[in-house]
Amino acid sequence: PIDLVAEVTEVSEDSVLEHVEAAIAARLVNEVSGSPGQMSFAHALVRSTLLEELSTTRRVRLHRRIGEALEQRPTASAAELARHFAEAAATGVADRAVVHARRAAEQAHEGLAYDEAVAFYDLALEALDAGDEDLAARGALLASRGVAQHFRGEEDAGRADALAAADAARQLGDATLLAAAGSAYQGFVGQWASLADPVAVELLREGLTGIAKSQVVTRARTMAALANAVIVA
């Protein structure tokens, strides 16, 4: 959008429009039909060429400024926020990249776009690597990605993520995360459970032991998953 370009570059909208009109005349940029003030590159090659001309430092700074500007706009999607902040993660916004990427992954999962959900969990984990070590966040992301992996038919990848989440849970002494890892290993209502594989049962039992009785909802969910795992496996 023209106004976003103006905000990020700290140039007046009229001045930006003059440059854009010159780019339109040169057939480098097109106006998006039905969306006044919205522009797109005429060809992906134009965009990639301009990106290559930017130094890494300037490109990363621009991504951060775009992300910060978009955060103030209620219409900005979690997906675009995640991508911009992930590109700028090294500038100290890794935590924001993780938040937006996780939200984008959850939205993709709700929309049954499981490949996209896994891609955003990947992005969140990559962003996490650029910030301070947060084992709890890593474990939760791994458990969630494990579930998404199962949904897209990648059973081995789902179980590997679940086991990595379980390792993190044990290091943290986090029973709730351990139970989540058990659920992730099992897959949705045991649909992908192996009849000869008791790992989900073991993880869920281990997690349930440490979940306080006051955590009624967490215990109920864990017991339901455990009951299903016992029946299946």
Side-chain angles (χ1 to χ4, degrees):
I2 290 292
D3 60 337
L4 180 62
V5 175
E7 181 180 349
V8 170
T9 58
E10 297 181 339
V11 176
S12 72
E13 286 189 41
D14 286 341
S15 180
V16 169
L17 186 56
E18 288 179 12
H19 289 297
V20 168
E21 286 174 337
I24 291 172
R27 298 183 179 179
L28 298 174
V29 171
N30 295 325
E31 293 182 280
V32 177
S33 178
S35 299
Q38 185 89 13
M39 306 291 160
S40 66
F41 288 112
H43 195 282
L45 184 61
V46 177
R47 177 180 179 277
S48 61
T49 300
L50 291 172
L51 278 174
E52 288 172 4
E53 292 178 355
L54 294 175
S55 67
T56 300
T57 300
R58 182 173 292 279
R59 179 173 52 78
V60 167
R61 285 169 59 86
L62 279 171
H63 275 297
R64 176 169 179 166
R65 291 177 70 176
I66 293 168
E68 290 172 340
L70 285 172
E71 272 190 321
Q72 306 307 311
R73 300 179 177 219
T75 57
S77 70
E80 60 184 337
L81 285 165
R83 292 189 182 103
H84 285 298
F85 280 119
E87 288 285 351
T91 67
V93 293
D95 56 337
R96 286 148 84 178
V98 172
V99 168
H100 293 303
R102 175 182 283 169
R103 188 159 61 92
E106 290 169 352
Q107 290 174 355
H109 193 113
E110 289 170 3
L112 311 184
Y114 304 123
D115 287 343
E116 190 175 335
V118 169
F120 278 116
Y121 282 126
D122 290 344
L123 197 64
L125 286 162
E126 289 170 10
L128 203 61
D129 289 336
D132 296 329
E133 177 60 29
D134 187 338
L135 191 58
R138 179 174 299 282
L141 286 168
L142 286 167
S144 295
R145 188 176 70 176
V147 173
Q149 294 280 23
H150 276 303
F151 269 101
R152 72 171 185 162
E154 297 290 341
E155 298 175 18
D156 290 342
R159 289 172 184 150
D161 278 346
L163 291 175
D167 286 341
R170 290 190 180 105
Q171 291 181 56
L172 294 163
D174 188 334
T176 300
L177 178 56
L178 190 57
S183 293
Y185 190 95
Q186 177 181 216
F188 179 64
V189 297
Q191 187 174 338
W192 298 280
S194 166
L195 297 179
D197 189 346
V199 172
V201 173
E202 293 168 358
L203 290 174
L204 287 162
R205 279 181 173 153
E206 186 180 348
L208 185 61
T209 301
I211 298 173
K213 291 183 178 179
S214 59
Q215 294 178 266
V216 179
V217 174
T218 302
R219 283 184 63 85
R221 286 177 176 164
T222 303
M223 291 170 72
L226 175 57
N228 187 76
V230 169
I231 291 168
V232 173

